[in-house]
Amino acid sequence: MTDLIQMGKRALEAKYLLQKLTEEEKNKALELAADRLIAEQERILQENAKDITAGEKAGMHPGLLDRLRLTSQRIHSMAEGLRQIAALPDPVGEVLESFERPNGLKIQKRRVPLGVIGIIYESRPNVTADAFGLCFKTGNAVILKGGSDAICSNLEITRVLRDALLEAGVTPDGIQIIGDTDRAVTQAFMKLNAYVDVLIPRGGAGLIRTVVENSTIPVIETGTGNCHIYVDESADLDMATEIILNAKTQRIGVCNACESLVIHEKVKDAFLPVLAKALREKNVEMRGDEQVCSVLSDCIPATEEDYGREYLDYIVSMKTVGSVEEAIAHINRYNTKHSDAIITENPAHAETFLNEVDAACVYVNASTRFTDGFEFGFGAEIGISTQKLHARGPMGLKELTSYKYTVEGKGQVRK
Amino acid sequence: MTDLIQMGKRALEAKYLLQKLTEEEKNKALELAADRLIAEQERILQENAKDITAGEKAGMHPGLLDRLRLTSQRIHSMAEGLRQIAALPDPVGEVLESFERPNGLKIQKRRVPLGVIGIIYESRPNVTADAFGLCFKTGNAVILKGGSDAICSNLEITRVLRDALLEAGVTPDGIQIIGDTDRAVTQAFMKLNAYVDVLIPRGGAGLIRTVVENSTIPVIETGTGNCHIYVDESADLDMATEIILNAKTQRIGVCNACESLVIHEKVKDAFLPVLAKALREKNVEMRGDEQVCSVLSDCIPATEEDYGREYLDYIVSMKTVGSVEEAIAHINRYNTKHSDAIITENPAHAETFLNEVDAACVYVNASTRFTDGFEFGFGAEIGISTQKLHARGPMGLKELTSYKYTVEGKGQVRK
């Protein structure tokens, strides 16, 4: 069985070495890692083929097999991802605040790495390189625990990345991976708070719940998204249709896709038939309350449970309300604090919605699909946080850092 | 048994009401709460007397009894604390960032309350008013769980504060207290993540460990402090003596007091006898390594365990090292990531120490006793965070907030 204590100790040593690296040293290592991934793609593909064969034997769903499969092109994308991270500015060392106290103490708040980051993730092997790149650029050591389906691929990618670090003159323990697929090891990993500063789960609702319930390490919850779009009485209805269609159907399996619609009852007769026509063309199943069903004969009656569902499918729930306040109350009750939007031409309603909806990202007249580190201009993304501690919404490089206070005196003592 | 679900639901309703309050409305309620505490001090003192009597019967230590005891003066201090919080600027609503994307989306990062804060604390009843004031000013609902020793005092203070909120036209559920002293209730409270956004334990190492190990709610760890002072070879030795004496003895029972000394071996002969004389005058017991003991005949040999101890007593551990690097490695191994200091006249050593010691607050030529929200000029303090997520070091009002992104568009959809 994996010796997690030894891994923890190595990560701890690595973190003190990584925090001393200059931006240039880190970028050079990232470029080298990108080169190595391409140079060694044959070996990576061979290992990936073992995972694919095992997946096929186990009767894995074709969609999941596709996520698992690497190609030369996908390995080039992984390498390109590392180069893009190298090109981003290094946030570490930034002086966030600087002030002097009346007693002459000079205090600075300086941005520092988090230290050791643990990441538990599911199938896609490209996350291995991606997560390493983001953690390494911000001076963090990372311990990865990937899904058992991708174990051969993940181990090989990690081997390549460790060799690249060694070649760059950096400790290879900047990245370590747990090669053991035993659940007991994952459980023990979640209790490794003597060595790991932060644990980030990336995956479905089940994985995230398991981590939140079992980890003694501080967790950044990257969440599920039951994203709402509320169509206000004053909405531009053409815009509403276009935004809903985009948010619901442009990509269905993602956390920022729309799952739930809230419709002001005054626009239901004018709006629902037009919307339904567009949704039917995309084969979206509609589940609505009584008022919605009274307008749309093919609408399935929604249950209480529907309002809280993240379908990740061609299904949408629909609820009518009598006011923006009622819409906000409904959304705050059922949302997952991810992304919710109002479509309105009424600035007062827009501002009320922005202020009172409790979500990481709140939109006026735009698709919820924009909740994304790249779309926000962060240049990278480790996930979307749906908790309120530390980071909320898309997390880029800055969200992988902490800070420390430095205090410089001339012999001051406390009276 | 306390119905925690009902308390959670009431807190959830309160959080949506509190986040709508203006700064003026919050300040008015805080002033009213201060007035009420003074107007109703007799009733508070009566309830406090019950706790004192029970404590005496149970043979409580005189020091703890003193912490538990309220007086008219102490109630006036609690009221004054609320008025000071009212006078501080409200951080909620601050626009932290504002930017426009190439597609025209206008994004703002706005400071918002955390939502519902849970606080688990030990004996001192003044924390009840203090924690309420900080949470309320930042628009958060709070659920308190105080120590069983202070239960009558805490219930009565909470009653007064809730009456004040009601009088101010604010929901009294801005503050709720768990009146049940059953441990099972505390355990269940730590799992209330459907309603509570953040849990902050305030108390000793045992309490904090229990919360970290059992909570499924995100925790801000307010930690224990094994604070180090390193005396470099180039230190001003008079300054070193003065700072150590202050950090060790000015107040021994606090988390920012010095517990461990690290001494460069080149200064041990000149420095240790002078330091020891000063420490002996304050009755500080010294526990040192072989080199220290060879200079100081009355020094007790230190064990491995001593280097990791937070004594909170008139005891200090002492270790010699050969370089600043060795000092840093020793400190990073044994510190609790709270506050550590270097005494040096060498700017390069100072900078290395500031960069490489992993602690919330790192000092050059000053006492570790300054790690404190008031000393940092925050005007208030809810605790000292020793974790790296969200907040590190002294936490004031800003650290009781989160943020949300608002995104305003004109119909943008994702390509």
Side-chain angles (χ1 to χ4, degrees), chain A residues 187-243:
Chain A
Q187 284 290 329
F189 182 40
M190 291 190 260
K191 314 268 187 211
L192 211 62
N193 43 344
Y195 303 105
V196 182
D197 294 287
V198 185
L199 193 58
I200 305 178
R202 286 183 60 168
L207 170 70
I208 288 160
R209 196 170 47 243
T210 302
V211 172
V212 167
E213 284 173 5
N214 291 286
S215 176
T216 56
I217 303 166
V219 171
I220 302 181
E221 204 173 326
T222 64
T224 48
N226 176 17
C227 302
H228 291 72
I229 295 178
Y230 164 58
V231 182
D232 194 28
E233 57 183 314
S234 71
D236 173 332
L237 298 180
D238 290 337
M239 186 198 284
T241 304
E242 203 190 342
I243 287 174

Side-chain angles (χ1 to χ4, degrees), chain B residues 297-336:
Chain B
S297 58
D298 60 341
C299 184
I300 296 167
T303 63
E304 184 76 9
E305 198 213 356
D306 277 307
Y307 299 131
R309 283 280 296 279
E310 184 191 31
Y311 297 114
L312 300 174
D313 200 349
Y314 288 98
I315 308 173
V316 72
S317 76
M318 299 162 99
K319 170 94 173 79
T320 51
V321 292
S323 65
V324 65
E325 288 75 21
E326 201 187 323
I328 291 168
H330 176 83
I331 292 170
N332 280 338
R333 177 159 178 202
Y334 291 102
N335 76 354
T336 51

Side-chain angles (χ1 to χ4, degrees), chain A residues 328-353:
Chain A
I328 292 168
H330 177 82
I331 292 170
N332 281 338
R333 175 159 179 201
Y334 291 102
N335 76 353
T336 52
K337 316 300 172 205
H338 192 295
S339 300
D340 301 293
I342 182 174
I343 316 299
T344 188
E345 297 297 311
N346 181 326
H349 286 189
E351 194 57 25
T352 301
F353 193 88

Side-chain angles (χ1 to χ4, degrees), chain A residues 237-257:
Chain A
L237 298 180
D238 290 337
M239 186 198 284
T241 304
E242 203 190 342
I243 287 174
I244 290 169
L245 216 62
N246 180 261
K248 180 66 246 176
T249 69
Q250 193 244 0
R251 208 172 150 201
I252 56 158
V254 289
C255 63
N256 56 18

Side-chain angles (χ1 to χ4, degrees), chain A residues 15-16 19-20 97 99 101 103 105 107 109-110 112-115 193 197-198 212-213 215-216 218-220 239 242-243 246 250 256 332 337 351 353-367 369-370 372 374-378 387-394 398-399 401-415, chain B residues 15-16 19-20 97 99 101 103 105 107 109-110 112-115 193 197-198 212-213 215-216 218-220 239 242-243 246 250 256 332 337 351 353-367 369-370 372 374-378 387-394 398-399 401-415:
Chain A
K15 105 176 174 182
Y16 292 119
Q19 71 181 14
K20 290 194 222 179
E97 287 174 38
F99 52 99
R101 298 294 302 149
N103 61 9
L105 286 179
I107 304 184
K109 187 175 177 178
R110 298 188 192 178
V112 299
L114 283 168
N193 43 344
D197 294 287
V198 185
V212 167
E213 284 173 5
S215 176
T216 56
V219 171
I220 302 181
M239 186 198 284
E242 203 190 342
I243 287 174
N246 180 261
Q250 193 244 0
N256 56 18
N332 281 338
K337 316 300 172 205
E351 194 57 25
F353 193 88
L354 290 178
N355 283 330
E356 297 184 16
V357 166
D358 188 17
C361 302
V362 192
Y363 290 82
V364 177
N365 295 336
S367 170
R369 288 278 293 115
F370 287 108
D372 175 282
F374 295 93
E375 293 293 334
F376 271 48
F378 297 169
Q387 70 180 31
K388 288 189 187 166
L389 269 196
H390 187 71
R392 208 174 180 201
K398 284 183 186 173
E399 286 70 26
T401 65
S402 179
Y403 58 82
K404 67 162 57 158
Y405 287 103
T406 63
V407 186
E408 297 180 70
K410 296 191 152 123
Q412 285 89 337
V413 296
R414 185 136 169 214
K415 307 295 176 206
Chain B
K15 105 175 174 182
Y16 292 118
Q19 69 181 14
K20 290 194 219 180
E97 287 175 38
F99 52 100
R101 298 293 303 148
N103 60 8
L105 286 179
I107 304 184
K109 186 175 178 179
R110 298 188 190 177
V112 299
L114 282 167
N193 42 345
D197 294 286
V198 185
V212 167
E213 284 174 5
S215 177
T216 56
V219 170
I220 301 180
M239 187 198 282
E242 204 190 340
I243 287 174
N246 179 260
Q250 193 244 0
N256 57 16
N332 280 338
K337 316 301 174 206
E351 194 58 23
F353 192 89
L354 290 178
N355 284 329
E356 298 184 13
V357 166
D358 188 17
C361 302
V362 193
Y363 290 83
V364 177
N365 296 335
S367 170
R369 288 278 294 115
F370 287 109
D372 175 281
F374 295 92
E375 293 294 332
F376 272 48
F378 298 170
Q387 70 180 31
K388 289 189 187 166
L389 269 196
H390 187 70
R392 208 174 181 202
K398 284 183 185 172
E399 287 68 29
T401 66
S402 179
Y403 58 83
K404 67 163 55 159
Y405 288 104
T406 63
V407 186
E408 297 180 71
K410 297 191 152 123
Q412 284 90 337
V413 296
R414 184 133 170 216
K415 308 292 174 207

Side-chain angles (χ1 to χ4, degrees), chain B residues 180-257:
Chain B
D180 208 318
T181 57
D182 189 333
R183 270 169 186 254
V185 174
T186 310
Q187 284 290 330
F189 182 40
M190 292 189 261
K191 313 270 187 212
L192 210 63
N193 42 345
Y195 303 104
V196 182
D197 294 286
V198 185
L199 193 58
I200 305 177
R202 286 183 62 169
L207 170 71
I208 288 160
R209 197 169 46 245
T210 302
V211 172
V212 167
E213 284 174 5
N214 292 286
S215 177
T216 56
I217 304 167
V219 170
I220 301 180
E221 204 173 324
T222 63
T224 48
N226 176 16
C227 302
H228 291 72
I229 296 177
Y230 165 56
V231 182
D232 194 28
E233 55 183 316
S234 71
D236 173 331
L237 299 180
D238 291 338
M239 187 198 282
T241 304
E242 204 190 340
I243 287 174
I244 291 169
L245 216 62
N246 179 260
K248 180 66 245 177
T249 68
Q250 193 244 0
R251 207 170 151 201
I252 57 159
V254 289
C255 63
N256 57 16

